[in-house]
Amino acid sequence: MLALKPTLRDITLGTPRLILSLFAAGEQGAWYDPSDLSTLFQDSAGTTPVTADGQPVGRMLDKSGNSNHASQATATARPLYRTDGTKHWLEFDGVDDFLSTAAFAWGSAQTYCGLGIRKNIDTAIGVFAEFSVNTINKNGSFAMFHSNNSTPGGFGAQARGSSRRDIAVSGGFPAPISVVSSAQVNLASDTGTLRLNGGQVGSIAGYGGGAFGTHPFFLGSRGGAEFYLNGRIYGAVLRNVLPTAEQLSIIESYLANKAGVVLP
């Protein structure tokens, strides 16, 4: 029997097998989906389920099969699960909220990170996601963030082989705003791109080669120490193999549906 090819309509309707298929060959990474309450717990041990709007999230399970679950042991530093009845997200307070995983080996020179996100402010840098405690000085790491009032209306991506390079977009996306952001980096070919809402907005080279290392993954801050996010995460897909054009379109359509963003 011939296998049916996944369509964008399938993924927009929320069919989980299509995102899960991105990890079917053992690809490293993670898939976080706050709309799936079976993956959310109020405590870091994962014993008290999240059941209602406004409850804290102390643990969020990774749906990719890699068991890169994200947690927060400190009760006051947990983001909140929020919903308006249609969309579902984690709300980070910009003060001390974040989630993090145990360190894991990335296992390749490639990275893809796609996010459905919202920034509430432009007055302070906020980190949405970061692989390592600090991409500034940790080889084999990457981060995705929004800019502050020195470059208002911007988003960015950062990665480091042996050298750090940033792709930053200033202007055009003032807070508050929800977007789909996709970063792709290949340290072996020395290429990096950033996409916002389905279109490429920047590219760069000069990462210095190497491969992505063994680090924890953070949501909502840099290393749990600075650049706390005042904003939302509707969903995240990260993977150590670059997506095909069709896979990229599927992922971005999926995240757009989660974030309530209309792609061109």
Side-chain angles (χ1 to χ4, degrees), residues 42-123:
Q42 296 185 53
D43 60 318
S44 59
T47 59
T48 305
V50 168
T51 59
D53 176 60
Q55 292 179 339
V57 176
R59 186 173 180 83
M60 178 167 60
L61 301 184
D62 167 22
K63 297 176 65 172
S64 75
N66 286 298
S67 297
N68 293 319
H69 309 312
S71 63
Q72 172 55 263
T74 303
T76 56
R78 293 169 182 161
L80 300 180
Y81 162 71
R82 301 306 309 267
T83 181
D84 60 7
T86 301
K87 298 187 296 295
H88 307 259
W89 65 90
L90 298 187
E91 186 81 34
F92 295 80
D93 66 4
V95 177
D96 58 2
D97 290 356
F98 73 95
L99 298 172
S100 64
T101 72
F104 61 93
W106 193 253
S108 82
Q110 299 182 6
T111 187
Y112 170 79
C113 186
L115 304 171
I117 48 181
R118 179 180 177 87
K119 61 173 178 175
N120 293 330
I121 62 171
D122 272 325
T123 53

Side-chain angles (χ1 to χ4, degrees), residues 173-191:
F173 297 91
I177 189 171
S178 295
V179 302
V180 172
S181 182
S182 287
Q184 301 181 82
V185 177
N186 188 338
L187 298 178
S189 63
D190 196 23
T191 56

Side-chain angles (χ1 to χ4, degrees), residues 144-145 154-158 165-171 173 180-186 190-205 207 248 252:
M144 297 179 71
F145 57 92
F155 287 88
Q158 186 178 86
R165 300 291 282 162
D166 300 348
I167 307 172
V169 178
S170 177
F173 297 91
V180 172
S181 182
S182 287
Q184 301 181 82
V185 177
N186 188 338
D190 196 23
T191 56
T193 61
L194 177 65
R195 293 166 56 87
L196 292 174
N197 292 345
Q200 185 171 310
V201 294
S203 64
I204 203 165
Y207 295 100
L248 180 61
E252 290 183 338

Side-chain angles (χ1 to χ4, degrees), residues 128-148:
F128 294 103
E130 186 156 19
F131 182 62
S132 85
V133 296
N134 193 331
T135 302
I136 298 293
N137 53 30
K138 296 293 183 182
N139 289 357
S141 60
F142 64 86
M144 297 179 71
F145 57 92
H146 74 76
S147 55
N148 59 16

